[in-house]
Amino acid sequence: MEFVARRVFYSENAWAEAWGSAPEVSPLFQRLGGNVEPPDQTVAQAAFFIAGALEPYGFQLFNNGGLPLLERRNGPWQIEVLLRPGPRAVRGIYVPVSVHLHLSHSGVREVREKFWRPASRAPKVVASCDIGQLEIPPCWVIWNIANGVGEMSTAAQWLKRLALPWLDAFEDSLEMHRRILLGDLPFVDQETGLELMLAEFGLDYASQYLNRALAYDPELGRKVRRRTDQIVRAVVPGGRGTHLAHNLAVIAASYGLL
């Protein structure tokens, strides 16, 4: 079972257990894998192949601390596809990788610098996920690329089918604006949606978005307005925390949105 090209898990815990487990391999299988490239070279070859498949879409291949990284930049947007090798590879037989997507926006970092503590550490990340999370139903995937081109081609096709439409929704300003209003941008929480509104469309649009959201949820609206008043009276806004009402209030107080 461990040697199939694509293993799907509908629980992150199940994925993590499989990711950290060493497959049982007979001595014969181990000998069969002895004359092929070591796992790190296999991962590098996979990255090179996938980079070629995605080059028409603006991606380039880099190394991030030794890990293969495909990157595309478009204005303030930075899109990364990271191939992360698993810890339990078996040379020539089982070379597991996960495919993670990371989406960042330089303007979001600038927005966050006003209330992040310390400001110099304000992140620019907007969304991050395993590519399987874009499937229906969402899942986590382990790719076994030991057998070469076939598995690499499959991974490239999945990236084209799932990742590119997701990324395009962000880079199209009108589409992003519409989907933020609908709450329909996968892996973007309400706070990040408000920060994107500030970064992409400015104070007026962000204020309209926030007031509309709070009118739709009166209980949340009461909490956010009360917390915003407290933060304003304290003069110095606190940084983002774990609660939605507090986070929206911090952003609102920092930019005078209410």
Side-chain angles (χ1 to χ4, degrees):
M1 181 64 179
E2 290 87 350
F3 304 138
V4 297
R6 184 174 178 271
R7 299 172 66 195
V8 175
F9 303 86
Y10 295 102
S11 158
E12 189 172 12
N13 288 336
W15 175 89
E17 182 178 353
W19 181 253
S21 299
E24 295 183 5
V25 181
S26 71
L28 174 61
F29 270 36
Q30 291 179 358
R31 287 196 297 272
L32 289 174
N35 295 321
V36 297
E37 295 86 358
D40 57 345
Q41 290 186 20
T42 304
V43 175
Q45 289 176 359
F48 187 80
F49 181 92
I50 294 172
L54 296 182
E55 185 179 11
Y57 304 94
F59 284 89
Q60 293 181 303
L61 178 62
F62 299 93
N63 284 316
N64 180 25
L67 296 180
L69 175 73
L70 285 72
E71 182 186 83
R72 181 174 81 184
R73 291 179 180 268
N74 185 3
W77 293 104
Q78 179 182 357
I79 300 147
E80 298 172 333
V81 180
L82 181 64
L83 304 183
R84 186 160 63 96
R88 301 291 187 175
V90 179
R91 182 170 178 159
I93 298 168
Y94 179 61
V95 182
V97 297
S98 64
V99 180
H100 284 263
L101 307 175
H102 300 278
L103 182 62
S104 302
H105 189 289
S106 58
V108 167
R109 170 183 282 168
E110 294 173 4
V111 166
R112 289 171 176 165
E113 285 175 347
K114 193 163 185 177
F115 54 80
W116 212 268
R117 299 294 179 267
S120 60
R121 294 190 178 181
K124 61 180 179 179
V125 63
V126 170
S128 179
C129 68
D130 182 287
I131 188 175
Q133 291 291 287
L134 297 176
E135 296 185 40
I136 299 175
C139 60
W140 290 261
V141 180
I142 295 177
W143 302 83
N144 178 15
I145 60 170
N147 292 328
V149 173
E151 286 80 356
M152 298 172 195
S153 178
T154 301
Q157 291 301 319
W158 279 83
L159 280 165
K160 291 178 183 178
R161 187 170 69 86
L162 294 173
L164 293 180
W166 179 65
L167 298 172
D168 288 344
F170 289 92
E171 294 184 330
D172 182 334
S173 291
L174 292 178
E175 176 67 6
M176 184 182 69
H177 185 277
R178 183 185 72 83
R179 295 185 69 176
I180 288 176
L181 292 178
L182 294 174
D184 185 35
L185 272 177
F187 311 106
V188 174
D189 56 32
Q190 200 165 0
E191 303 100 301
T192 305
L194 179 57
E195 291 165 343
L196 275 172
M197 278 288 190
L198 281 164
E200 283 282 313
F201 306 109
L203 289 171
D204 288 344
Y205 279 98
S207 179
Q208 292 172 23
Y209 165 70
L210 180 58
N211 279 281
R212 177 177 174 177
L214 299 186
Y216 182 78
D217 187 342
E219 178 60 24
L220 176 63
R222 285 190 289 272
K223 291 179 180 179
V224 171
R225 293 179 189 282
R226 181 168 61 248
R227 183 62 181 146
T228 300
D229 288 342
Q230 293 171 346
I231 292 172
V232 170
R233 287 198 298 271
V235 179
V236 180
R240 275 183 56 164
T242 58
H243 297 289
L244 172 61
H246 169 80
N247 292 340
L248 292 176
V250 166
I251 301 168
S254 298
Y255 285 93
L257 301 181
L258 294 177

